[in-house]
Every structure is written in C-alpha cells, then in structure tokens.
Amino acid sequence: MDNIEEEKLDKHSDDIQVESDEKKSGKKIELDEERLPSRAMAIHEHIRQDGEKELERDAMALFWSAIAAGLSMSASLLAKGIFHVQLDGVPGGFLLENLGYTFGFIIVIMARQQLFTENTVTAVLPVMQKPSWVNFGLMTRLWSVVLLGNLVGTAIAAWAFEYMPIFDEATRDAFVKIGMEVMKNTPLEMFSNAIISGWIIATMVWMFPSAGAAKIVVIILMTWLIALADTTHIVVGAVEIFYLVFNGTLHWSEFIWPFALPTLAGNICGGTFIFALLSHAQIRNDMSNARKAEAKARADEQKQQRDGAEKEA
C-alpha cells in the first residue's frame, strides 16, 4: 500500500516537472560563480533555480501562501494610514508616511510568502531558458493561483479593516484618502505607473542573491521608492481599493476597471517583458559560450579516449 502511494506521489511530481536541459541530463543548475562566465549569469541561474522550485510546487500550497501574502500586504495600508494621521503637519511627514508602504513587502518577502509581482521575474526565467508549452503552462498555473490567492487575502484584510472595530475614524478616513489618491489615475496612468513598480520589484528580486544580510535594506529602499514615486501595484493597491469597495465609496466594477486590469498588465510588462527579457538577453551569449566550451571539452575528452584506445590496439 505504501509503495502504491509513493508511486502516485512520484507520478504527480513527474507531471509538474519543469522542462530544462539540466533535468534532461540529470544534472543540477550550476551556481558556482567561479565556474560560470560572469557574475550576472550566476545571479540569473540562482533566480532560475528558485523559479523552477516555485513552478513545481503544489497548487494548494501556492494558494495558501498567496492568501497569507495578501493578508500580510495589508500592513502597508495599515502603516501608511496610521503614519498619515500621526504625522499630519510634521515636516518631512510625506517621507515617513511612505515608509509605511514598505511594511507589507518586508513581511511577505522575509516570510517567503507568494507575491505575484515577485513571480513576474522568478517564474519567467525557466520559461525563457527553455521555452515549451509545459513550462509556459506551469508559469500560467503559478501566476493564476498566486494572483487569485493574493486578491483573496487582500479582500479579507480590507473587509476586516472596514467592518471590525479596530481603527478610529481618523485612520479610516486616511485609508479612504489613500485609496482615492490611487483612483485619481486614468487607466493609462495606472498602466504606466504599474510598469515602473513592476520593474522596480523585478530589480529588487535580481539584487537578492548578492544582497546577503542586507536583504531587508534592499526591500525597504526599493519598495519605499515605489511609494515615493506614487506608482501602482496590483497587490498593495488591491487592499486600498477593496477597502473603498467595502466602504461603499466605489462600486465593484471600478475595482476591475480602471484599477485592476491596467495595473496588472503594467506590473507584468515591467517585471517580465522589460526586466526579465533584458536580464536574460545580457547573459544569453554567456550561456552560448558556456555550452560551446562544454561541447569542446567533451569532444576533446572523446578524442583522447579514442586515441588511447588506438594506441592500446
């Protein structure tokens, strides 16, 4: 019975495996910087390895982690709203208020929860490395599950902020003001601003492998920049706009348009079609040269073996 269960698990694992040259040859992704042509390639391969692990994770595990991330991202609205009230009239209050935006990102990333915009670069690199319908399907599954989970989590948090007796009237008014600032953007502005935030998040992810102990500093600086630039983000913005919906300020349809669809498209464009493509392009020649070097080394080894066999004969 145990053997049958193990076979089922193995079969399921095989069904969701990412296609890559390393899996085909039974090797692991090379991460040793000394053995790779460039530092950029080492970072690329590190992120690609993380991407493959995420693509192969169980859908329900991804979904629950994404819900947790959505709930955690509400800390950005929470901190920003409280700072807005407490720092009213204080010189430099704008800078400190926007520092509150970083709180949700710190929790989500340090807790290794699933955030959609993080996966616009992490999950894309394995697909760019080995374009196939299997890999594209796994990426689509990951994006769909994580985005849905993030939105569910943000909706729960926004509902709690509105209907549970947690905040005073001044803080609730601050939440409304923050959300309405987002809704002042036209669909085109939503899209354009989201490209910037998607690009910044992707840049942040690219910096993680070399950040070491300074990872939390990188998170704070990069996400603080997103807030200061007043850009749009599909997950943080979802908390803010869902709050307006539950508050009765906006209709449900206004969450979808002009907010969600343009913002989602912009985040994907910024994180995937701009940053990930450029990042992959810069190490493409390194990869090609590395493969040529490996092929030459194998050819030389085979030649030596043939020469050795001829001498023995």
Side-chain angles (χ1 to χ4, degrees), residues 155-204:
I156 293 171
W159 180 91
F161 284 6
E162 171 58 23
Y163 290 107
M164 295 182 70
I166 305 172
F167 306 106
D168 59 26
E169 200 60 35
T171 304
R172 292 174 184 274
D173 290 342
F175 292 159
V176 172
K177 183 177 179 181
I178 291 168
M180 290 307 294
E181 285 295 321
V182 176
M183 293 304 293
K184 286 180 180 179
N185 292 296
T186 65
L188 180 59
E189 289 170 340
M190 294 279 193
F191 174 75
S192 302
N193 289 332
I195 290 176
I196 302 300
S197 65
W199 175 73
I200 293 174
I201 292 294
T203 303
M204 178 182 69

